[in-house]
Each structure stands twice: as structure tokens, then as C-alpha cells.
Amino acid sequence: MARNLKTKELINMRLATTYGGWMYCDNCNENIGYLCYSTYDLLELKFVCSCGSKGSAHLEFVDSKEGKPCNDELITIKNRFCCPDDNQPLITILDKKIDSYEMSIVCNSCQKDYKRSKSNL
């Protein structure tokens, strides 16, 4: 079932489809990751691509619920960041294409707001 977006703000990046699929840097056209279509309620992502371009994404659905803060870590299964409660894949970030990022993603099954970041200091 298709979901209705409330907010879709993409800066220097694009998605393969309306609210999911492959993610691309607009500057170098490289694939920077994959956003799973049906397992998230909210995504806030800021990144620096390996080409030097800075980008961001803010995606939220009309029926999204506010995420519950948590200190849990996402688990990695086959290169995908997954919810530790049910192993559902949420997003893939291609580390070799992204120099740094900050991310907040809300799982639509457990409603936990997972935070993750990578920085090259």
C-alpha cells in the first residue's frame, strides 16, 4: 500500500522512487545507499559525499508517529542497518561513498528513533 508523504526535502541528492530505493549524490551521480520503502516512518540524513558535496534528506509520512528516543544501536545484516527488535532492514549507507553522515531514522514497527553517525575527524 502506497504511503502519502507529508515532508520530502532532498538537498544535493535524489531517490530512485518517491520515498525509497537507491539514493544518489546529485553532484557525482554515485550511488550512496539504499532506503527501504516500507520499514521507516521518518528519515533525517545529513551527509558529505566522497566527492565533497554536502547533502541531506528529510522524509516523513502523513501517518508517521513520533519516534521514541532510544539508545539502542541498529544492527547490521548484509550491509543493511536493521531494527534490532525485528531485524527489518531500514537503510544502507555505502561507507566507501560517504565520508561522513548524521542520521535519525524511525522504525515504523517499534517506533524507536535510531541515531547513527560517522565522521572522519
Side-chain angles (χ1 to χ4, degrees), residues 14-27:
R14 66 185 186 285
L15 294 170
T17 64
T18 305
Y19 52 82
W22 294 109
M23 302 183 297
Y24 298 92
C25 171
D26 275 347
N27 187 56

Side-chain angles (χ1 to χ4, degrees), residues 69-115:
C70 76
N71 292 321
D72 298 344
E73 291 287 327
L74 292 167
I75 60 172
T76 305
I77 301 172
K78 294 185 180 177
N79 240 11
R80 299 177 191 143
F81 294 128
C82 302
C83 174
D85 288 356
D86 61 9
N87 295 342
Q88 288 281 6
L90 296 168
I91 191 169
T92 300
I93 302 288
L94 298 176
D95 276 343
K96 63 184 177 195
K97 301 291 182 162
I98 298 287
D99 281 345
S100 61
Y101 67 88
E102 291 180 4
M103 176 181 67
S104 173
I105 191 165
V106 176
C107 174
N108 70 2
S109 65
C110 70
Q111 298 304 308
K112 289 181 182 175
D113 185 357
Y114 296 100
K115 310 275 189 215

Side-chain angles (χ1 to χ4, degrees), residues 6 8-9 13 32-33 36 120:
K6 174 175 141 183
K8 181 179 181 179
E9 297 168 357
M13 69 167 293
I32 58 170
C36 298
N120 288 339

